[in-house]
Amino acid sequence: MTESLDMRRVRYLYEAVTEGSVRAAADTMDMNPSVVSRQIAKLEEELAVPLMERHGRGVRPTEAGQVLVDYFRQQTSYQADAIAKVQELRGLERGHIDLVLGEGFVGDLMAEPMKHFWKRHPGLTVTMHLAGTNEVMRMVAEDAAHIGLVYNPPVGPGIRSRAAIRQPMCVIAPPGHPLTLLDRQPLLRQIAAYPVALMHGSFGTRQIIELAERVERIRLAPKLTTDSISVIKHFVRSDLGVSLLPAFAVSQEVEAGQLVALPIDHGVLAGAEAHIVTRLGRQLSIASNQLLLQLISTMQAFRDAKPRPTKDRPT
């Protein structure tokens, strides 16, 4: 058994597991699948342990294989952070940041925070991935993104909340809708009487709604289910029904008088929070940390939020 790792072969294993199959990994690396398969087999031979299991829909790592996949991901992250820090010694002239966020944060993010950030650091580039809550948490945990913006995230290991603030769920309705004319905050059972559009179950908004439904022992029957907040906005503006979202997701439409956002009279829905998250233990580059502070200080969704202590702790 070898006492050293051939990181090139470990990468082949990582790509096969990440992509779900040897063929997909080969396509990603622009190689012949037989080469990838042979190199993984040699790695298994050197370590004298199976690293990958094949099944009908592709491949999955063994317990030993997962150890190597996690190791490769960690080493890649360390390398990227080291390169970023070296570049930052030149005065933040270069560098790249990966963000992953729910669609509801986009309007808020692009309105002021990114404008100010790029004015101060014009040489830095940013990639923004749009994803549901579960995918945001996965990408941050696996170092596919430096920073995540997420609504109602699940509690789990490996994630650090850098800022959090209560952002209650609201009923989103067109002006003049009967729910907007009530003399009190609407109840969930009152909302259930109208056609409703909701996000898919992988989104934090839908997950907290489902919890409230269980508490109230009622069931909303969505007329429309989607993975797009833009679609929901069109649904409500067209007077086809109402929806449930945090107010910051529709702040521009509310300011324009196109929509109304009313907090819902329900303890569970009133307690939902927006979070900025990073991987527990990851030391952000100077550029990423500058962007993090910019988001906390200028995004409406995190207005009045207090940055969490710098010492790592899980959400």
Side-chain angles (χ1 to χ4, degrees):
M1 176 177 167
T2 184
E3 294 183 357
S4 62
L5 283 173
D6 185 329
M7 291 305 292
R8 180 173 56 91
R9 290 173 179 166
V10 175
R11 185 201 170 196
Y12 293 152
L13 173 67
Y14 170 83
E15 295 291 350
V17 170
T18 302
E19 296 296 332
S21 72
V22 170
R23 180 170 295 278
D27 290 342
T28 298
M29 295 184 288
D30 194 22
M31 299 180 69
N32 191 300
S34 64
V35 174
V36 176
S37 183
R38 186 164 58 250
Q39 292 300 318
I40 293 173
K42 287 183 178 180
L43 183 62
E44 291 179 317
E45 183 180 345
E46 290 174 353
L47 297 175
V49 63
L51 300 174
M52 195 172 66
E53 299 174 348
R54 288 172 170 80
H55 55 89
R57 292 180 295 178
V59 299
R60 58 173 170 258
T62 63
E63 185 174 353
Q66 188 62 52
V67 170
L68 291 185
V69 168
D70 292 342
Y71 172 77
F72 183 85
R73 181 181 293 124
Q74 186 179 62
Q75 292 303 307
T76 302
S77 171
Y78 287 158
Q79 183 182 61
D81 289 347
I83 291 172
K85 289 176 181 177
V86 170
Q87 291 173 338
E88 285 159 1
L89 293 176
R90 300 173 57 190
L92 286 177
E93 294 177 3
R94 297 176 56 192
H96 185 77
I97 304 166
D98 283 293
L99 279 179
V100 60
L101 59 151
E103 185 187 355
F105 294 98
V106 172
D108 189 359
L109 178 67
M110 300 305 293
E112 293 296 332
M114 294 311 302
K115 181 188 302 184
H116 291 305
F117 181 73
W118 273 320
K119 185 175 181 179
R120 294 175 59 191
H121 309 297
L124 297 178
T125 58
V126 177
T127 296
M128 294 185 188
H129 309 269
L130 298 185
T133 298
N134 298 346
E135 183 68 1
V136 170
M137 301 297 274
R138 183 195 67 79
M139 290 185 67
V140 171
E142 295 182 0
D143 288 330
H146 298 92
I147 302 170
L149 306 181
V150 62
Y151 185 72
N152 189 44
V155 176
I159 297 293
R160 175 184 174 190
S161 180
R162 307 295 291 258
I165 190 168
R166 185 168 294 181
Q167 287 286 0
M169 285 289 287
C170 298
V171 59
I172 310 302
H177 189 278
L179 289 173
T180 69
L181 304 178
L182 299 175
D183 57 2
R184 53 161 296 164
Q185 292 181 349
L187 302 171
L188 193 59
R189 63 174 175 268
Q190 292 174 309
I191 298 169
Y194 297 93
V196 63
L198 299 177
M199 299 293 285
H200 281 302
S202 63
F203 290 80
T205 53
R206 183 63 177 272
Q207 292 164 9
I208 198 169
I209 291 168
E210 291 175 349
L211 177 59
E213 288 175 316
R214 290 195 293 271
V215 170
E216 291 294 312
R217 296 184 179 180
I218 65 173
R219 189 72 176 172
L220 298 177
K223 194 175 188 69
L224 172 68
T225 301
T226 179
D227 61 358
S228 169
I229 288 180
S230 178
V231 170
I232 284 182
K233 292 176 182 179
H234 283 292
F235 176 88
V236 178
R237 284 202 302 264
S238 299
D239 205 17
L240 297 174
V242 300
S243 187
L244 285 78
L245 292 170
F248 69 81
V250 294
S251 59
Q252 294 178 344
E253 290 77 11
V254 170
E255 291 176 6
Q258 299 171 343
L259 296 175
V260 176
L262 300 172
I264 301 167
D265 187 0
H266 195 284
V268 170
L269 299 177
E273 292 183 333
H275 287 249
I276 299 181
V277 297
T278 60
R279 178 175 63 77
L280 186 66
R282 182 167 194 177
Q283 299 300 311
L284 291 181
S285 64
I286 297 174
S288 296
N289 198 60
Q290 287 292 317
L291 179 58
L292 174 70
L293 295 176
Q294 186 75 54
L295 301 182
I296 294 172
S297 63
T298 58
M299 286 188 68
Q300 291 187 25
F302 296 97
R303 183 171 294 165
D304 300 325
K306 302 299 182 184
R308 296 287 175 89
T310 56
K311 183 178 179 180
D312 280 343
R313 64 173 182 170
T315 54

